Amino acid sequence: MPFIDPATKPYPFCPGCSHSLVLDAIAKALEAVAADPRRTVLVSDIGCVGLADKHFAVHTFHGLHGRSFTYASGIKLARPDLLVLVLVGDGGCGIGGHHLINAARRNIGIKVLCCNNHNFGMTGGQHSVTTHCGAKTPTTPLGAVERPFDLAALVTAAGGTFVARAKAVEKGFEALIAQAFRHDGFAFVDLWEICTAHYMPANAYKKSALEARLAAGGLETGVLRCTAFPEYAQSLRIQPTAEAAVAAPQDLSIQWSHRLEAPTYGLVIAGSAGMKILSAAGRVARAAIRSGLWVSAQDDFPVTVQSGHALATLQFGREPLDAVGSQPPDAVLILSAEGLREVQEVLPQLAPTAWILAVEGLALPPSPAPVTRLALAGIDRLSWAMAAVAQWLQRRPIFPLEALRAELALLSDERVRAAQLRALECGAGTPVAEGATAT
């Protein structure tokens, strides 16, 4: 299957930028190894290449700068069966260098693809840990005096079991990436690129200069190291004693029966950062799974903390699901003006059978779906999401409210647990004001 969604093209990169070639090569490599998109996770770092997420038809995660290695390591530890890729730039390798070398040292089976264009391209071309000595950038206007990292050598020294380097300025390096994907353990591919927006014009740099730089540094391309060592996540699970065995992170065994009659059901929860939107969605997802449903989830929020929107999209299914958010949802819970801004274009597309649950005071655009107004006076704003979810589940019981109540009872923090359970009971019994259309 195509791993790049053609509807998302063209790519958003500058003319001549190597990132487009890298994305195409990754897609070809995924096809070459017959990757299952449902069991493939792409973790992207900050930078121009971080814009790649939306183009891939696999699970994606976009977090803080330099921390992509940690997110990917956590995912791989929890699910060793997944193919976990990291797409990072040389800037991210510098900021998250400690995470990079320790992921290599542990031989955790993530596959790191470094788009190394020798500068911070997204923010204006500042120098990075791989900027060549003498190169001019906004932060080295007289020429860099530092020696650049040889990232491949760094990862090799840290114990990386698969290390490779390629020039990503012409087609044909997908086979090298596929080889990294097949490797049983940590893999790192140093992809030398060109930044046409900043580094090239500032340094009269051309594609041919890549070859000269490689030769001047005595740097080879191709597979530089490939050796065997036990993969970290698997090793944790085969400790010699029963006491040391790693248990499943959380119990998701089925304890209730769902009541979903349609093949699928979509739910969107829209609010603001700090309203525990994503936490509530996570609890809903677990309760649904423990009721025998399949769940796909997508979280959307800005990189800022405690500001901006928080958007959770859940898709429930009677059978395994391939995607989330591909169809207009069946229910939309709107808890703030910031959340409304994120879903206001969706509301007119809702079916008449869908349902909008919105807090009082929000001016909604016209929609064929009926609207219910939710009065949350007296409930802490941090608990609005759980109260709204409880109200939704009370009126659209696709799985038992008891399953959600049991999930909240598992919260370790006594104060939080009490607040969330109180919100659930309040939400389930909160009087509502019915309306025929959105206004």
Side-chain angles (χ1 to χ4, degrees):
M1 70 167 288
F3 286 89
I4 296 290
D5 181 356
T8 65
K9 282 194 169 183
Y11 297 135
F13 308 122
C14 304
C17 173
S18 303
H19 290 348
S20 299
L21 289 174
V22 171
L23 266 57
D24 287 342
I26 292 173
K28 291 178 181 176
L30 288 170
E31 290 184 15
V33 301
D36 183 345
R38 295 169 300 184
R39 304 171 74 84
T40 301
V41 183
L42 172 65
V43 180
S44 64
D45 210 274
I46 299 295
C48 299
V49 76
L51 302 173
D53 292 27
K54 69 176 184 181
H55 300 288
F56 280 91
V58 301
H59 302 287
T60 58
F61 187 102
H62 187 64
L64 299 177
H65 207 169
R67 309 300 182 240
S68 51
F69 314 109
T70 63
Y71 303 133
S73 295
I75 294 169
K76 189 67 178 178
L77 280 172
R79 291 287 304 275
D81 57 308
L82 300 181
L83 174 59
V84 183
L85 322 178
V86 172
L87 196 53
V88 63
D90 45 295
C93 287
I95 292 174
H98 185 72
H99 305 307
L100 171 62
I101 60 175
N102 280 287
R105 177 179 65 85
R106 293 184 173 116
N107 195 36
I108 189 162
I110 61 175
K111 319 303 177 188
V112 179
L113 309 173
C114 174
C115 296
N116 184 0
N117 61 9
H118 314 293
N119 73 161
F120 283 87
M122 175 172 267
T123 54
Q126 296 85 355
H127 79 287
S128 75
V129 295
T130 64
T131 298
H132 301 122
C133 192
K136 294 182 179 179
T137 73
T139 45
T140 58
L142 301 180
V145 296
E146 303 171 4
R147 292 171 295 177
F149 263 139
D150 175 350
L151 291 175
L154 178 69
V155 172
T156 299
T161 50
F162 182 93
V163 182
R165 183 187 291 117
K167 292 177 293 181
V169 293
E170 52 195 21
K171 296 180 179 179
F173 55 93
E174 59 267 19
L176 198 64
I177 295 177
Q179 197 170 346
F181 290 171
R182 292 190 182 97
H183 179 69
D184 183 19
F186 181 88
F188 181 86
V189 183
D190 184 11
L191 297 165
W192 278 42
E193 294 195 16
I194 51 174
C195 175
T196 55
H198 302 292
Y199 200 79
M200 290 182 72
N203 295 282
Y205 200 71
K206 299 180 179 178
K207 292 181 181 179
S208 57
L210 280 181
E211 192 71 46
R213 289 287 184 185
L214 290 166
L219 305 177
E220 298 180 351
T221 56
V223 177
L224 308 178
R225 188 184 196 217
C226 184
T227 186
F229 190 79
E231 196 276 330
Y232 182 72
Q234 294 290 351
S235 296
L236 287 177
R237 285 166 168 75
I238 54 174
Q239 293 287 328
T241 63
E243 291 78 11
V246 177
Q250 294 172 320
D251 179 18
L252 289 175
S253 58
I254 298 174
Q255 297 187 11
W256 291 272
S257 298
H258 71 79
R259 303 164 189 168
L260 180 61
E261 296 180 355
T264 62
Y265 186 98
L267 171 68
V268 171
I269 311 172
S272 301
M275 294 183 72
K276 305 296 184 184
I277 301 294
L278 308 185
S279 299
R283 292 293 165 186
V284 169
R286 286 175 50 85
I289 292 170
R290 298 185 70 185
S291 300
L293 289 172
W294 294 81
V295 182
S296 290
Q298 177 176 295
D299 295 338
D300 182 18
F301 52 90
V303 295
T304 52
V305 176
Q306 294 293 319
S307 66
H309 68 275
L311 189 69
T313 302
L314 297 172
Q315 189 83 12
F316 308 96
R318 298 168 59 90
E319 302 293 337
L321 300 162
D322 290 331
V324 60
S326 57
Q327 300 292 330
D330 298 284
V332 182
L333 316 184
I334 309 172
L335 302 177
S336 74
E338 289 171 312
L340 173 59
R341 281 197 292 272
E342 297 302 312
V343 299
Q344 60 186 356
E345 294 183 0
V346 175
L347 301 185
Q349 304 173 29
L350 296 179
T353 55
W355 181 44
I356 301 171
L357 179 61
V359 295
E360 293 179 323
L362 292 177
L364 306 181
S367 172
V371 178
T372 297
R373 294 292 184 170
L374 187 60
L376 295 172
I379 300 177
D380 189 301
R381 196 167 184 265
L382 293 176
S383 300
W384 281 15
M386 185 51 62
V389 162
Q391 177 62 218
W392 161 73
L393 197 52
Q394 183 81 340
R395 298 163 65 87
R396 300 290 190 274
I398 64 172
F399 60 86
L401 187 64
E402 181 58 29
L404 184 56
R405 186 179 288 114
E407 278 302 314
L408 298 182
L410 296 175
L411 289 169
S412 58
D413 188 301
E414 183 177 350
R415 184 178 57 84
V416 174
R417 180 172 66 248
Q420 290 288 291
L421 284 169
R422 190 164 51 247
L424 180 142
E425 303 303 341
C426 289
T430 296
V432 296
E434 300 290 353
T437 58
T439 55

